[in-house]
Amino acid sequence: MSSRAVAPVDAMWLRMDRPTNLMVIDTLLFLNGAVDLDRLAAVVRARLVGRYPVFAERPAPGPLPGGRPRWVRDPDLDVDHHLVRATLPGDDDAALQRYVEACASTPLDRDRPLWQMHVLDGYRGGSVVLSRCHHALADGVALTQVLLSLTDDSPGGTPDLPPLPPIPRSAEHRGPPLAALDPVARLARRITDPRLAGNAARLARDGLSTARGVLSTADKLLLGPPPPAPFRGVVGTAKRAVWGEPLPLEHVKRVCALTGATVNDVLMAAAAGALATYAEARGAEVREVSTMVPVNLRPPGRPLPRELGNQFALVLFRYPTTVRDPLARLAETRRRMDAIKQSPEAVLTFALMTGIGLTARPVERVLVGFFAGKALGVTTNVPGPRTLRYLAGSPVTGILAWVPGSGTQTVGISICTYAGTVRVGFMVDAAGVPEPELLVGAFENEVTSLLRVTHTLSG
């Protein structure tokens, strides 16, 4: 039976499953109309299983005790087993949320390839596809592109393989990884360039700047405080999933045009305001809180490799929740995001993740718990297609994607742009964050407030 070793970072995600935080990436595709299940199965066989081997492989122990696991081809692979069809008991968000929450606490079967698709009928007169893929298969950026490769730009698409989707060139995904390499790469070029070797002062400045970046990253990862109340506590198995209605992306871009901020800056500032509002509503002191932000390390514009895997880093972003004025909070968010983009943090954390994946399992568990304890969870901003897509002939009306938290993390934030809209969703620990609906309403209010303030100032 053919097999291959699981890469170190992928092995880390494979071993990180806990009953309280499963390492599963959950994605919702909202559809207008019913789904032709036979047609969807044909698309999945051709574009998913036929293109990316890991969707036909299951994990198995390595040949040596304590060694890296392996991906083994599943001889009994049946795509129909991975496609689950159900009818929701109601046609509203509440019914869909309860279904998503039940799945979020249910582990994937490790005797089979680690993915599922739930086709859910009865939601607002249409359907929803809930995709569940283990993080060991690939990171969230890659899996989003994989799912989008199942869609077409018209209803008449066939299961045949279309061209591989490229990694997006959006500012959110292009800026951080490439900029993160700049300080180290620039210093290396100058040290090895004979024309600049004599410029000792310039080399010293670059070396000092790079060292400061390394020390700053080490300080965040090693000495950063844990999340404050109400975002910490004993994590349970039950989760809550909530989301808002789609907001016009043009409103966010209007704020960008008036402030010079990016779309990502505006949405992260809105998330900071929402967390502050939630803390106040729960009677807690408003303090700054950190989140983990995924940074794509794949070169933009290139197709995904057939092996997929995880090629991303997690950087710590400290939400400026204590800044009360919306515009000042946006400016501070922008400043902090720019600082991360110009630091070596993404490169260093990816190296750290790789190193953790090579350690013994007990050591890995301690290290993951230590670093995960610095953040309340993971915040993702997924830039989806700008135009309408179709899945097995049905129009896709919206997207949400949550990557898992780990350790004691309690709040996952999903921000997705798609076809001229932006939507936010929260996946939280049910006991630790008992009123997540407050977060959704506060986020939407923050976007509205920024639009109103910038419009007033612009005259």
Side-chain angles (χ1 to χ4, degrees):
M1 184 182 298
S2 63
S3 69
R4 58 190 177 93
V6 180
V9 174
D10 303 338
M12 180 188 74
W13 292 109
L14 189 62
R15 293 191 290 253
M16 277 172 59
D17 268 322
R18 306 287 184 274
T20 53
N21 268 321
L22 300 175
M23 295 298 106
V24 177
I25 297 174
D26 293 306
T27 304
L28 289 175
L29 297 179
F30 299 88
L31 305 175
N32 183 10
V35 177
D36 184 332
L37 194 59
D38 291 338
R39 184 173 174 182
L40 177 61
V43 170
V44 168
R45 289 188 186 94
R47 302 187 191 180
L48 195 72
V49 177
R51 175 178 279 163
Y52 302 108
V54 76
F55 286 93
E57 297 169 330
R58 57 179 175 81
L64 299 175
R68 272 195 285 154
R70 303 188 68 81
W71 292 120
V72 177
R73 180 84 182 185
D74 182 1
D76 301 317
L77 176 69
D78 182 357
V79 168
D80 291 336
H81 176 84
H82 293 264
L83 296 177
V84 180
R85 185 153 213 165
T87 300
L88 296 172
D91 64 355
D92 56 2
D93 282 341
L96 177 58
Q97 288 167 358
R98 299 297 87 81
Y99 191 98
V100 173
E101 291 161 2
C103 287
S105 301
T106 305
L108 295 169
D109 183 356
R110 294 209 170 201
D111 291 331
R112 302 178 184 274
L114 299 177
W115 64 276
Q116 288 180 335
M117 284 189 184
H118 297 247
V119 180
L120 308 176
D121 297 319
Y123 176 74
R124 296 189 176 186
S127 300
V128 175
V129 173
L130 168 62
S131 166
R132 307 192 70 225
C133 298
H134 200 282
H135 212 316
L137 275 60
D139 54 74
V141 174
L143 284 174
T144 299
Q145 294 306 299
V146 167
L147 290 177
L148 289 174
S149 74
L150 305 181
T151 68
D152 302 286
D153 57 8
S154 69
T158 66
D160 300 333
L161 292 175
L164 281 165
I167 296 294
R169 289 185 173 273
S170 70
E172 289 80 357
H173 290 280
R174 182 182 67 245
L178 300 184
L181 293 168
D182 285 349
V184 178
R186 185 170 59 246
L187 179 61
R189 285 196 303 269
R190 287 179 175 169
I191 290 174
T192 57
D193 189 339
R195 295 172 300 175
L196 298 176
N199 193 342
R202 194 170 188 178
L203 287 172
R205 285 197 302 271
D206 277 357
L208 184 60
S209 175
T210 301
R212 279 199 299 263
V214 172
L215 291 173
S216 175
T217 299
D219 179 70
K220 289 169 64 177
L221 294 176
L222 297 174
L223 303 178
F231 304 111
R232 71 164 184 262
V234 178
V235 180
T237 57
K239 307 300 173 188
R240 289 289 318 279
V242 294
W243 52 82
E245 294 296 321
L247 303 173
L249 186 58
E250 65 178 276
H251 290 180
V252 176
K253 291 184 175 180
R254 198 175 304 163
V255 176
C256 296
L258 295 171
T259 62
T262 67
V263 169
N264 187 57
D265 294 336
V266 174
L267 298 176
M268 292 293 283
L275 292 169
T277 299
Y278 183 87
E280 285 183 331
R282 297 291 297 174
E285 178 187 0
V286 177
R287 296 165 58 191
E288 290 195 346
V289 60
S290 294
T291 186
M292 290 181 167
V293 178
V295 175
N296 176 38
L297 296 178
R298 292 183 179 87
R302 296 185 186 177
L304 292 168
R306 281 173 49 83
E307 297 77 15
L308 292 178
N310 287 271
Q311 287 291 322
F312 79 109
L314 285 167
V315 297
L316 272 177
F317 176 76
R318 199 159 182 79
Y319 277 120
T321 45
T322 57
V323 180
R324 312 294 295 187
D325 178 75
L327 280 181
R329 185 165 55 241
L330 174 57
E332 181 61 16
T333 298
R334 180 184 179 186
R335 187 193 69 78
R336 295 184 186 189
M337 291 299 296
D338 288 345
I340 289 176
K341 293 174 187 178
Q342 298 304 320
S343 81
E345 183 172 346
V347 177
L348 295 174
T349 56
F350 182 74
L352 176 64
M353 290 164 62
T354 302
I356 291 175
L358 293 170
T359 62
R361 192 164 187 170
V363 177
E364 177 185 274
R365 177 169 294 200
V366 171
L367 291 174
V368 168
F370 175 78
F371 291 114
K374 304 297 181 183
L376 85 166
V378 183
T379 300
T380 58
N381 182 3
V382 179
R386 298 180 180 179
T387 57
L388 196 67
R389 303 291 296 178
Y390 296 83
L391 178 65
S394 298
V396 178
T397 59
I399 302 172
L400 276 176
W402 290 282
V403 300
S406 57
T408 58
Q409 294 177 347
T410 59
V411 180
I413 305 176
S414 170
I415 304 171
C416 293
T417 57
Y418 170 73
T421 64
V422 59
R423 189 194 296 253
V424 65
F426 294 86
M427 182 81 75
V428 305
D429 183 74
V433 187
E435 298 180 277
E437 294 85 0
L438 295 177
L439 288 165
V440 174
F443 179 93
E444 294 172 345
N445 288 340
E446 288 294 324
V447 174
T448 302
S449 296
L450 280 169
L451 180 65
R452 183 172 57 249
V453 170
T454 50
H455 179 74
T456 300
L457 293 178
S458 67

